Amino acid sequence: MATFLYRLGRFSFRKRHFVALFWVALLALAGAGAAGAPAAGNSSFSIPGTEAQKAFDLLDERFPGASADGATARVVFKAPDGQKMTDPGNKAAVQDTVDELSGGAEVAQVTDPYQGGGVSQDGTVAYASVTYKVPGIELEETSREALKAAAEDARDSGLTVEIGGDALQAIPETGSAEIIGIGVAAVVLVITLGSLLAAGLPLLTAIVGVGIGVATITALASTLDLGSTTSILASMIGLAVGIDYALFVVSRYRAELAEGREREEAAGRAVGTAGSAVVFAGLTVVIALVGLSVVNIPMLTKMGIAAAGTVAVAVLIALTLIPAVLGYAGRRVRPAGEKSKLLGGGRAKDKADRPNAGTRWASFVVRRPLAVLLLGIIGLGAAAVPAGSLELGLPDDGSQPTSTTQRRAYDLLSDGFGPGSNGPLVVVVDAQGSEDPQAVFRQAGDEIKALDNVVNVAPAAPNKAGDTATIAVIPDAKPSSVATEDLVHDIRAVGADIKDGTGAEVLVTGATAMNIDVSQKLNDALVPYLVLVVGLAFLLLIVVFRSILVPLKAALGFLLSVLAALGAVVAVYQWGWLSGLMGVEETGPIMSMMPIFMVGVVFGLAMDYEVFLVTRIREAHVHGEKPAQAVVTGFRYSARVVTAAAIIMIAVFSGFIGSSDSMVKMIGFGLAIAVLFDAFVVRMAIVPAVLALLGDKAWWLPKWLDRALPNVDVEGESLAAHDGAAGKEDEDKELVRA
């Protein structure tokens, strides 16, 4: 592989006009497709095979035209101080709003608060429910504008009016913090590479890669039903790995220049060595992201594949566009150790022979490996303690910022009707084939009413055929609470008893029940997913490092860092520690997809640092250095770059903490803290300590397995004998044949 990538690097350097034109054309094509595509909506959490989804499907079959999966809105009214919603003037204003909303082309039904029990007991709050014919992702902008206009007209009459539900769900915004993250990345690149131009290359190529990935996702969003958060998560991961991969190639290029090689030769060797590590690091990320499909949640599968595609683009750009732009930069990219005049280049070096920080740190670790290992494990273990109280759920309007109308509507409903009114449960009773369906409906209602944590049970509403009915149940607790989850399980237990006695089937659905089923599905899939992803990556790393213990150590270190990161997420978003600093306005259960998503993404990123760091150590060991000295040598050449890459990734992920979307905010924080733990505690401390303790045993591999494994030559041993003066025409022909 190293030889092929070496030729690819030289080809891209020499044919830079062609390579640059190809990527620019690809960016323009993706941009044109995105410009002409409809905007992305909000993908649903539907899960094939769950009870909630089965009930939705039954509603579509037995209640045609009811739009069970249609968008919903709750227009909440609050009377001025000293007045009631039953006062004639306020009642007339609400009625006007109901009439105005009923005329919408996509509106299926609007419930009158005064006829549907939508007025609070104290008479100060009322709500009208609006059901649309199409899901939120397909709702026309004119329908959203009509909803806002109706609310504004009601406000003109003196009422407080807010809108909840998914009809107004906005595409999340990441805010200015994302720009700050990129700014931090730029500063780190300048310090690391010692040149404004060299620092700009990774940023430029990463932005090109993210632009292609996000534009492609935007172009296909409507066709493939990609949620609005898909492109944000793809850009988050793509930008971070794009900068990192480019940084590793540029850094190796400067190191090759420092050894006296010509620029084209240096570009080829940089791609042949660092590029090999980029390929395998990228493969681990792609495996982790594509592996999310085993969960069998369509939304999560699409998010993972979209992000994996962006990572694949970042790898290809690092292998081709980076050497091309290095060709354009020419002598303005200086050898390692040299800085531009603007950054202090040309000054006399007083301490030229002083070991760098990576060398000093590695020397310290190999002298005290056991102490460093124990300190790292104890520290991560302490950070992981809060993960023991992890509670999972999915965000609702209660997790929105208080500045949004959805959150204000949520609070008004909670004050007027209790927190459970924000997450009503829909019980579907299928009595087809039963001798007395009406008796079954009454029995189901009575038994549900007798359960704990139930505030209200509406009378059964049968379909025209009279064989199926819906029963609305209002829980006592908020939708994301453990009590509401327990109530769903209790209703399903009641349904099982009714089925045994009457043969009728009782199903629980609605947004709250769907969220609970999603959480359960994710919990059940976590262990199989972990085994699949870690297993595949473990096999891949055996090929890369030709060792059993090094990949095993890498996997165990990852588990430590991800548990510590989950502990930090629980402490901030569930317990409320530093919640003000992180912009957390409402603590509660951790998003149910957070553990599995963090496992997938963080594992891929953790293996990035493992590959980049340990391949340098193995390279030194392969060339004859003793284990302890090989660790020091590896850190001398790679610690600075890995540290810079980690800081960049943390900065990029932290930028998404400023998002208006609670899910993106939590993922940004979780990934940032996970990279912090993994890069600086696991890879920079625990890894060298373990390698120092293992010595030569770290690189042990059974002889039969050594013979069976392919030699991928990540360290670039084959390049040592390569003749840099090979003919250009021969190289081009060999590249085409390869």
Side-chain angles (χ1 to χ4, degrees):
M1 173 179 285
T3 302
F4 170 75
L5 292 178
Y6 165 81
R7 292 169 181 153
L8 179 62
R10 293 194 64 174
F11 174 85
S12 300
F13 185 95
R14 191 167 58 253
K15 304 292 184 181
R16 47 188 172 273
H17 301 312
F18 169 77
V19 172
L21 181 62
F22 169 80
W23 285 109
V24 170
L26 198 58
L27 178 62
L29 184 63
N42 294 281
S43 189
S44 66
F45 283 106
S46 62
I47 318 175
T50 60
E51 179 172 318
Q53 188 63 48
K54 183 179 179 181
F56 268 126
D57 297 339
L58 185 64
L59 286 173
D60 284 337
E61 178 188 342
R62 305 286 175 84
F63 292 82
S67 304
D69 62 344
T72 59
R74 279 189 169 187
V75 184
V76 187
F77 308 89
K78 186 177 187 300
D81 292 342
Q83 298 184 25
K84 303 284 187 181
M85 288 306 303
T86 51
D87 293 346
N90 295 335
K91 192 172 182 179
V94 172
Q95 189 60 57
D96 290 342
T97 303
V98 170
D99 293 341
E100 184 177 350
L101 289 171
S102 299
E106 294 183 309
V107 174
Q109 183 183 14
V110 181
T111 59
D112 189 323
Y114 304 99
Q115 297 177 7
V119 181
S120 63
Q121 288 186 349
D122 62 5
T124 60
V125 180
Y127 70 89
S129 295
V130 185
T131 304
Y132 290 88
K133 299 175 183 176
V134 295
I137 191 173
E138 300 174 12
L139 201 62
E140 295 286 345
E141 189 60 31
T142 53
S143 296
R144 293 190 175 94
E145 292 300 326
L147 181 59
K148 294 176 185 177
E152 194 59 42
D153 291 341
R155 291 189 187 104
D156 292 340
S157 67
L159 298 173
T160 299
V161 186
E162 304 296 346
I163 305 171
D166 62 353
L168 284 187
Q169 197 116 32
I171 295 176
E173 299 174 355
T174 54
S176 59
E178 182 184 356
I179 305 300
I180 296 174
I182 296 176
V184 172
V187 172
V188 173
L189 286 170
V190 170
I191 295 173
T192 304
L193 299 177
S195 164
L196 292 174
L197 179 64
L201 296 183
L203 280 176
L204 173 65
T205 56
I207 290 172
V208 170
V210 169
I212 292 171
V214 171
T216 303
I217 291 169
T218 304
L220 299 175
S222 180
T223 304
L224 301 180
D225 186 23
L226 302 178
S228 56
T229 55
T230 302
S231 60
I232 292 179
L233 296 174
S235 65
M236 178 195 300
I237 297 169
L239 187 62
V241 300
I243 294 174
D244 279 6
Y245 294 166
L247 170 62
F248 286 118
V249 174
V250 172
S251 298
R252 189 60 183 252
Y253 171 76
R254 296 179 70 233
E256 297 294 335
L257 289 178
E259 294 182 9
R261 292 189 172 87
E262 294 295 326
R263 295 186 177 273
E264 183 178 328
E265 176 71 10
R269 288 180 177 270
V271 174
T273 51
S276 297
V278 164
V279 169
F280 282 98
L283 272 176
T284 59
V285 180
V286 169
I287 287 172
L289 291 171
V290 174
L292 291 170
S293 58
V294 304
V295 183
N296 196 26
I297 296 179
M299 185 202 70
L300 194 59
T301 299
K302 293 169 185 175
M303 287 170 57
I305 293 175
T310 307
V311 171
V313 171
V315 171
L316 293 174
I317 281 180
L319 300 178
T320 57
L321 187 57
I322 281 292
V325 295
L326 287 173
Y328 284 117
R331 297 185 178 278
R332 285 169 289 184
V333 174
R334 299 169 181 270
E338 293 186 19
K339 295 183 179 180
S340 64
K341 293 182 179 180
L342 183 63
L343 297 174
R347 297 176 185 173
K349 297 182 180 179
D350 297 330
K351 301 178 181 179
D353 297 330
R354 182 184 178 186
N356 62 21
T359 302
R360 296 195 299 274
W361 169 250
S363 299
F364 170 80
V365 173
V366 297
R367 287 198 304 271
R368 300 173 179 84
L370 188 59
V372 172
L373 177 63
L374 292 176
L375 187 61
I377 292 175
I378 292 171
L380 291 178
V385 168
S389 61
L390 176 69
E391 295 177 7
L392 298 176
L394 283 172
D396 52 33
D397 286 346
S399 62
Q400 296 274 359
T402 53
S403 59
T404 62
T405 186
Q406 292 95 331
R407 172 60 185 275
R408 292 195 292 264
Y410 181 97
D411 292 340
L412 285 176
L413 281 173
S414 295
D415 295 340
F417 300 89
S421 60
N422 284 289
L425 304 174
V426 179
V427 178
V428 183
V429 183
D430 179 10
Q432 192 177 61
S434 175
E435 295 180 359
D436 190 354
Q438 291 297 328
V440 173
F441 300 156
R442 286 193 298 272
Q443 179 186 354
D446 292 342
E447 293 195 25
I448 293 171
K449 194 178 297 183
L451 295 174
D452 295 334
N453 299 319
V454 174
V455 172
N456 184 51
V457 178
N463 62 350
K464 290 182 180 180
D467 58 4
T468 308
T470 60
I471 301 174
V473 179
I474 304 298
D476 183 48
K478 63 182 182 179
S480 59
S481 68
V482 175
T484 300
E485 182 177 349
D486 291 340
L487 177 59
V488 170
H489 294 315
D490 290 343
I491 295 173
R492 287 173 174 169
V494 166
D497 293 339
I498 292 175
K499 186 174 183 179
D500 292 339
T502 66
E505 192 167 19
V506 179
L507 305 172
V508 186
T509 189
T512 301
M514 181 65 80
N515 288 351
I516 291 170
D517 286 351
V518 169
S519 300
Q520 187 61 50
K521 185 85 169 179
L522 289 164
N523 290 343
D524 294 342
L526 181 58
V527 173
Y529 172 73
L530 191 62
V531 171
L532 173 68
V533 171
V534 175
L536 287 176
F538 180 77
L539 295 176
L540 182 65
L541 292 179
I542 289 177
V543 175
V544 174
F545 296 129
R546 308 193 77 78
S547 164
I548 298 293
L549 295 179
V550 170
L552 181 61
K553 171 263 307 168
L556 293 176
F558 151 74
L559 291 176
L560 270 176
S561 59
V562 81
L563 285 174
L566 278 176
V569 170
V570 169
V572 173
Y573 289 89
Q574 187 175 310
W575 291 1
W577 294 5
L578 302 176
S579 57
L581 181 64
M582 295 298 168
V584 181
E585 298 187 17
E586 184 75 19
T587 59
I590 302 305
M591 183 181 61
S592 54
M593 70 171 61
M594 190 70 191
I596 200 164
F597 191 82
M598 184 177 285
V599 164
V601 176
V602 175
F603 183 77
L605 300 180
M607 294 308 102
D608 277 4
Y609 300 121
E610 182 76 13
V611 170
F612 289 124
L613 190 62
V614 179
T615 49
R616 269 293 198 171
I617 296 173
R618 174 170 163 75
E619 185 176 343
H621 181 70
V622 166
H623 287 93
E625 293 189 8
K626 293 183 178 180
Q629 183 57 41
V631 170
V632 175
T633 301
F635 268 69
R636 180 168 70 246
Y637 289 115
S638 60
R640 178 184 176 91
V641 179
V642 169
T643 300
I647 293 173
I648 289 169
M649 199 166 282
I650 292 168
V652 172
F653 287 152
S654 297
F656 289 85
I657 298 175
S659 172
S660 62
D661 186 274
S662 58
M663 181 175 73
V664 175
K665 183 192 295 284
M666 189 183 295
I667 289 177
F669 172 79
L671 294 182
I673 199 73
V675 171
L676 176 68
F677 288 148
D678 195 86
F680 292 103
V681 181
V682 175
R683 308 303 152 190
M684 302 296 287
I686 293 178
V687 165
V690 171
L691 291 177
L693 288 170
L694 290 175
D696 287 321
K697 298 184 182 67
W699 309 107
W700 171 79
L701 186 69
K703 292 183 178 179
W704 64 267
L705 185 57
D706 187 40
R707 291 192 298 269
L709 291 177
N711 183 13
V712 295
D713 189 21
V714 177
E715 297 82 14
E717 289 180 75
S718 60
L719 299 183
H722 192 277
D723 183 8
K728 295 180 181 179
E729 293 182 1
D730 291 341
E731 289 178 0
D732 291 346
K733 291 177 181 177
E734 290 174 9
L735 178 62
V736 171
R737 287 199 298 270

